[in-house]
């Protein structure tokens, strides 16, 4: 196909490649490429300028939280449908609902790229309907941006090589008409693959996810690390008192700067180690006696207007480790986690439905 396009221009048809045509052609190619990545409907890429994140948002009448997706598109659809957020055609059906995906889109599964495009599309559809979808970064996003791929599956790694090859086709198509945005490095990437398939896949994954990489900039850098909606605080791991002292807005700002490649500094300290804001397990431990409820209350006291924290909970944690109504996560037990609310959960996904004073976890 590329040869035919090139031949067409060489035969004197380059006069048709004016400014207006180049713009239309580039938009068509971008749509074509994104549709392949999404394996379905997609939306135009956001502006290259990455806007600062808004950390504090007003309360919502209906608030839904969805847990780890980990590269599993089937379970992602299932969770969103349980929450009443998408219809049978995967279109937003949540109306004015505000939803929060609490991190970990990457690793463990084979559909990571597709999920990122799926969430991006739903964000725009939700906004158009008067609702909202907010996406958090978890420890698996920060690990991958830092070049640590130990939880990535072999098919998941190869999917990033496929992503790179499709990007290179798009860049070559745009270059045939001299379109802006035709990345010469991306054009050549498909022609200089290492002989080892997995090595090539790892290189492609690193290039896409490293600070300033295409996927890091388009998706991950635009996602929150911490978010407060009304009196509910969302985070993947846990906000410790030290994180609250550091400042939630500062955490989001410095995370975004690192992921987008705007900062020459290494990974921020609050994203690494056992006490990282995306890793902390102080509020969800296997042994209830080790659940630091005092630290939870101290952290909430330091965050103006906050009353509860919603975060990921490992599959081995038990419902009785929940400190109080202030700590809301999902466990493997089917028993109440807060007054007048129930928790029905099957690992690995959870959905938190928040309406007025009632918070419930619903999953199947």
């Amino acid at each position: 196909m590329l040869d035919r396009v090139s031949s067409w221009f060489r035969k004197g048809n380059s006069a048709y490649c004016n400014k207006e045509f180049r713009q239309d052609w580039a938009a068509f190619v971008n749509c074509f490429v994104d549709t392949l990545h999404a394996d379905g409907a997609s939306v135009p890429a956001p502006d290259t300028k990455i806007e600062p994140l808004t950390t504090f948002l007003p309360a919502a009448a209906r608030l839904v939280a969805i847990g780890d997706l980990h590269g599993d598109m089937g379970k992602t659809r299932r969770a969103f449908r349980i929450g009443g957020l998408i219809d049978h055609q995967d279109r937003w059906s949540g109306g004015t609902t505000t939803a929060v995906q609490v991190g970990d889109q990457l690793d463990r599964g084979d559909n990571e790229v597709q999920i990122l495009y799926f969430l991006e599309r739903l964000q725009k559809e939700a906004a158009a309907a008067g609702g909202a979808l907010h996406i958090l970064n978890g420890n698996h996003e920060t690990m991958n941006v830092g070049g640590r791929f130990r939880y990535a599956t072999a098919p998941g790694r190869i999917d990033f090589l496929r992503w790179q090859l499709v990007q290179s086709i798009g860049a070559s198509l745009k270059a045939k008409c001299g379109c802006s945005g035709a990345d010469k490095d991306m054009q050549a990437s498909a022609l200089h693959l290492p002989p080892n398939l997995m090595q090539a896949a790892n290189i492609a994954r690193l290039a896409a996810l490293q600070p300033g990489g295409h996927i890091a900039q388009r998706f991950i850098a635009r996602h929150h690390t911490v978010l407060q909606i009304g009196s509910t605080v969302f985070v993947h791991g846990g906000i410790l008192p030290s994180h609250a002292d550091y400042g939630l807005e500062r955490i989001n700002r410095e995370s975004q700067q690192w992921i987008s490649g705007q900062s020459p500094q290494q990974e921020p300290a609050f994203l690494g180690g056992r006490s990282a804001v995306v890793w902390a397990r102080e509020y969800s431990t296997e042994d209830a006696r080790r659940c630091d409820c005092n630290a939870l209350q101290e952290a909430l006291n330091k965050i103006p207007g906050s009353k509860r924290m919603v975060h990921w909970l490992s599959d081995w944690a038990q419902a009785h480790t929940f400190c109080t109504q202030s700590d809301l996560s999902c466990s493997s037990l089917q028993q109440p986690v807060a007054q007048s609310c129930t928790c029905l959960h099957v690992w690995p996904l959870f959905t938190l439905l928040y309406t007025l004073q009632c918070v419930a976890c619903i999953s199947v």
Side-chain angles (χ1 to χ4, degrees):
M1 180 177 179
L2 293 179
D3 290 340
R4 291 182 181 180
V5 173
S6 180
S7 175
W8 186 81
F9 287 125
R10 285 197 301 270
K11 290 179 180 178
N13 296 306
S14 58
Y16 292 98
C17 196
N18 54 34
K19 180 179 179 181
E20 290 74 20
F21 177 80
R22 286 198 298 269
Q23 292 174 343
D24 292 341
W25 178 247
F28 167 78
V29 171
N30 288 338
C31 180
F32 168 71
V33 167
D34 286 350
T35 299
L36 292 178
H37 292 323
D39 194 23
S42 63
V43 293
D47 190 84
T48 54
K49 181 182 178 181
I50 300 176
E51 298 293 338
L53 296 165
T54 301
T55 303
F56 304 100
L57 297 172
R62 181 171 186 261
L63 190 56
V64 178
I66 296 181
D68 300 12
L69 304 179
H70 279 311
D72 191 324
M73 193 63 214
K75 291 180 179 178
T76 297
R77 289 190 176 101
R78 194 178 180 191
F80 274 82
R81 285 176 183 150
I82 289 168
L85 301 175
I86 61 172
D87 60 22
H88 67 285
Q89 294 183 323
D90 292 348
R91 297 290 186 177
W92 179 264
S93 62
T96 58
T97 297
T98 294
V100 182
Q101 197 282 311
V102 196
D104 278 9
Q105 303 97 44
L106 300 180
D107 288 336
R108 303 189 191 279
D110 307 337
N111 314 125
E112 299 157 285
V113 173
Q114 184 182 0
I115 285 174
L116 290 173
Y117 281 85
F118 171 81
L119 294 175
E120 179 187 55
R121 174 175 61 80
L122 284 187
Q123 279 188 308
K124 292 195 175 184
E125 291 180 2
L133 170 60
H134 304 287
I135 305 165
L136 302 190
N137 289 325
N139 56 309
H140 285 266
E141 281 70 60
T142 58
M143 280 193 295
N144 276 271
V145 173
R148 302 186 293 278
F149 305 146
R150 62 180 178 271
Y151 294 105
T153 66
R157 294 169 193 247
I158 293 173
D159 193 39
F160 274 84
L161 178 59
R162 171 190 169 278
W163 173 87
Q164 185 186 67
L165 293 174
V166 172
Q167 287 291 109
S168 70
I169 291 172
S172 296
L173 285 171
K174 287 189 282 188
K176 295 300 181 183
C177 195
C179 297
S180 60
D183 190 325
K184 293 182 179 180
D185 292 335
M186 188 60 75
Q187 294 175 51
S189 63
L191 305 177
H192 302 284
L193 296 178
N196 182 285
L197 179 63
M198 198 53 64
Q199 180 185 359
N202 287 335
I203 291 173
R205 188 180 182 97
L206 179 63
L209 291 170
Q210 68 185 346
H214 184 94
I215 286 183
Q217 284 198 335
R218 176 164 177 170
F219 301 105
I220 304 175
R222 301 171 195 270
H223 298 167
H224 290 81
T225 300
V226 291
L227 175 65
Q228 182 174 344
I229 300 178
S231 59
T232 305
V233 181
F234 296 87
V235 63
H236 182 74
I239 299 174
L240 304 179
S242 58
H243 301 141
D245 288 335
Y246 197 79
L248 303 192
E249 289 182 311
R250 186 178 178 186
I251 287 174
N252 276 333
R253 182 176 64 254
E254 294 181 6
S255 297
Q256 186 180 65
Q257 289 172 345
W258 171 62
I259 295 168
S260 64
Q262 297 175 7
S263 171
Q265 299 178 353
Q266 299 297 313
E267 178 180 340
F270 55 78
L271 293 178
R274 294 177 61 86
S275 296
V277 69
V278 293
W279 278 97
R281 299 292 182 261
E282 277 78 350
Y283 310 144
S284 55
T285 64
E286 186 175 12
D287 185 349
R289 294 169 297 181
R290 296 174 55 195
C291 188
D292 197 342
C293 300
N294 292 330
L296 170 63
Q297 192 58 57
E298 182 182 353
L300 290 173
N301 290 340
K302 291 173 179 285
I303 303 171
S306 66
K307 295 181 179 179
R308 62 189 65 83
M309 191 179 299
V310 176
H311 58 93
W312 172 89
L313 182 69
S314 65
D315 56 328
W316 41 256
Q318 303 297 310
H320 63 256
T321 64
F322 300 151
C323 296
T324 63
Q325 214 170 329
S326 300
D327 184 37
L328 300 172
S329 30
C330 281
S331 78
S332 57
L333 295 185
Q334 297 184 14
Q335 68 181 60
V337 299
Q339 186 177 10
S340 73
C341 303
T342 57
C343 180
L344 306 176
H345 172 66
V346 176
W347 177 257
L349 296 177
F350 69 79
T351 306
L352 282 173
L353 303 182
Y354 172 57
T355 306
L356 300 178
Q357 298 302 316
C358 181
V359 181
C361 311
I362 301 178
S363 185
V364 296

